Structure formats: structure tokens, C-alpha cells
Amino acid sequence: LRPPSSTAVVDGVSSDLYLAQPMGVARRTTLGEDGINGDEVVRPSAPLEFLLPAARVGLYIYQTLAIAEEIGRLKSPKDYNARVQLEKAINQLDNLLLSPPSFIKTNDPTVTRKDPYNLPPVVGEIAKQQQKQRERRQNSVEVGITPQFFEVGTLMQERITWNRLVKVENARESTSEVRRAFNIYTTNLNFNPTKYIYSGSKEEKRSMILNDKLPTAVEVIRSDLDARDLYRNVVQTKLEDAQAEWVYQKKVMEEGEG
């Protein structure tokens, strides 16, 4: 379930994000040759139990594809045994597409959507502004006094938008187990909130800093999550299209027999 490279537009930062990849929560490593402790670079991840629902979706897709290929191989059977096999495969595909199994078990973990501010209104936005200021200082980014003055108001609007999007996504999950299965993993990923991997050259980084285009860790994480959501949407749409196509083909076959 590895997402494509992060290239989504986030807060005006677009093509430059392909140079940045998020990190997982670092683990302290043993002393290196220089005698200094370091942090192991790890990818964002979640415990295995959070991946199981999405893994079941993957197995379901592979099983469905295998049966569809079998039907294609048995098309226009000439002997009795082949016709029996074809009818059996058609019934199996019909059950899989129109009555898919449950991908989420009762003991599975759930979607986790925490308030990104973790504090009451206004107080949380002020705390978030201070965090962004610290990140800018660490990356030697200067934005001037005026943008900082309006930043709290911008963060308040972002929080309102976030809460609205959460309600919309909860409603979508209630109608699609596929979507919820992917979200269980994505919303429980552990990211490093302050660091990310920058793969560009020193010259590129210096230019981005001078042009105030160096993304923050939050922007890199958002871009990665956007890429994962796009991947989820493609899978969900393709499955829904396959189900609709199967219903249509069944109707055509029934009309032809009639």
C-alpha cells in the first residue's frame, strides 16, 4: 500500500514537494563510528492490526481478478465439463461483486481522526502558530510580520474546514467498507511531526529557502496523505465500476437468452 510520490498542491506548495518525503517516528540507534547517537530514518507506518482491513481488500481484488480471468479462459466452452466450470466461475464472480465479504471485523481497530490542534479554539491556533514559527526558524525561513499577524485567523478557518471535512468523510465511510478499510490504516500512520527527508541538492534547497518555498513538515505530511487518499479513491472507484459493469453484462446476457 505504498503511495505514489507526493506531488499534491498544499498551501501553494506544489512541484517542490517531490523533493520531500515524510519520515516515521525515529528510533534511537546505537553509537556510530563518531561516537554520537543518531536517529534511524524510518518510513511512516502503523501497527500491523491497522493494515489488516486494507489487506483484506487487496486479497478480495486478487481473488476477483483470478475468477474473471478464469471466465475469460473458459469463454465459449465446447464440452460439458468446461460449461460446468464456466457456470461455477460466473456464480463465484457474481457473489464476489454483488455480495462482497466484510473487510472489517468486530475486533479490528477503527478510524482515528484527532483534532490537529489538541487544544480549545483560539488557544490551539495560537499554539500551532508558535509551532510553525519554530519550524521556520529551524529552516531559516523568514515570512515577515504581516503574514504572521494574519496566521492565527487563517488557522482558525483551517480548523473549521477540517471539522467539516471530517463529517463528510465519516458519511462516506458509512457507505463504503473499502474506503473505511483504507482509512483505518491511513489515519493511524505515525509521522515525524518536525522532520522529513529532503532529496534535492543544497543549491535547490538554498533557492527554495530564499524564495520562501521550502515546505514545512506539516505540508509534507499533508501531501503524502493526499497521495494516499487519491490511491484509495482510485481503488474504490474501480471496484464500483466493476460491479456496475457486471450488472450490465448480466442484463445483456439475460436479454440475449430471452
Side-chain angles (χ1 to χ4, degrees):
L1 299 175
R2 180 171 296 182
S5 299
S6 299
T7 56
V9 177
V10 181
D11 295 341
V13 182
S14 54
S15 58
D16 299 318
L17 281 173
Y18 78 95
L19 298 172
Q21 296 296 323
M23 294 172 55
V25 178
R27 295 188 291 268
R28 298 297 293 176
T29 59
T30 57
L31 291 176
E33 295 180 359
D34 54 4
I36 300 175
N37 279 319
D39 288 332
E40 181 184 357
V41 177
V42 296
R43 289 183 57 83
S45 63
L48 180 61
E49 58 266 25
F50 293 99
L51 181 60
L52 290 178
R56 294 186 192 108
V57 175
L59 291 174
Y60 164 77
I61 291 172
Y62 289 132
Q63 183 181 8
T64 303
L65 285 173
I67 295 176
E69 291 174 354
E70 179 72 4
I71 291 174
R73 187 181 66 82
L74 295 171
K75 188 176 181 181
S76 303
K78 296 181 179 180
D79 60 80
Y80 174 78
N81 289 333
R83 286 195 297 272
V84 170
Q85 290 179 356
L86 177 60
E87 184 176 352
K88 180 180 178 181
I90 289 175
N91 289 334
Q92 288 177 325
L93 186 60
D94 189 70
N95 289 331
L96 282 172
L97 288 175
L98 302 186
S99 301
S102 177
F103 306 117
I104 302 173
K105 309 302 181 183
T106 55
N107 59 340
D108 281 337
T110 61
V111 173
T112 303
R113 290 194 179 89
K114 299 177 182 178
D115 187 327
Y117 297 92
N118 296 319
L119 289 169
V122 181
V123 177
E125 283 81 345
I126 293 174
K128 181 66 69 174
Q129 182 201 34
Q130 293 173 346
Q131 177 188 337
K132 290 168 74 74
Q133 288 176 346
R134 286 194 298 270
E135 288 185 3
R136 287 194 288 261
R137 283 196 296 269
Q138 291 172 357
N139 293 306
S140 302
V141 176
E142 295 292 337
V143 297
I145 299 299
T146 303
Q148 294 183 53
F149 181 78
F150 291 103
E151 194 166 36
V152 172
T154 301
L155 291 171
M156 291 175 67
Q157 185 59 46
E158 286 183 1
R159 191 177 204 175
I160 293 172
T161 302
W162 163 260
N163 290 330
R164 178 176 57 81
L165 291 175
V166 166
K167 291 181 180 179
V168 171
E169 189 61 25
N170 287 340
R172 290 173 176 170
E173 288 173 356
S174 67
T175 61
S176 172
E177 271 205 353
V178 171
R179 192 179 193 91
R180 186 150 55 101
F182 278 85
N183 286 350
I184 286 173
Y185 181 70
T186 303
T187 60
N188 285 284
L189 283 169
N190 294 309
F191 291 93
N192 189 315
T194 59
K195 298 179 181 179
Y196 59 87
I197 302 171
Y198 181 79
S199 58
S201 66
K202 292 182 178 179
E203 291 73 19
E204 287 175 310
K205 185 174 183 179
R206 187 180 300 112
S207 174
M208 292 170 68
I209 291 174
L210 291 174
N211 292 288
D212 191 22
K213 289 187 176 181
L214 188 70
T216 64
V218 172
E219 290 168 338
V220 174
I221 292 171
R222 285 179 179 174
S223 180
D224 181 82
L225 291 174
D226 285 346
R228 293 174 188 273
D229 286 347
L230 289 173
Y231 181 83
R232 173 208 62 201
N233 292 346
V234 169
V235 173
Q236 180 183 351
T237 300
K238 294 295 184 182
L239 283 174
E240 290 173 351
D241 288 347
Q243 292 167 345
E245 179 65 20
W246 177 248
V247 171
Y248 172 76
Q249 292 297 337
K250 280 187 61 180
K251 182 179 179 181
V252 170
M253 288 188 293
E254 289 171 357
E255 291 177 349
E257 293 175 355

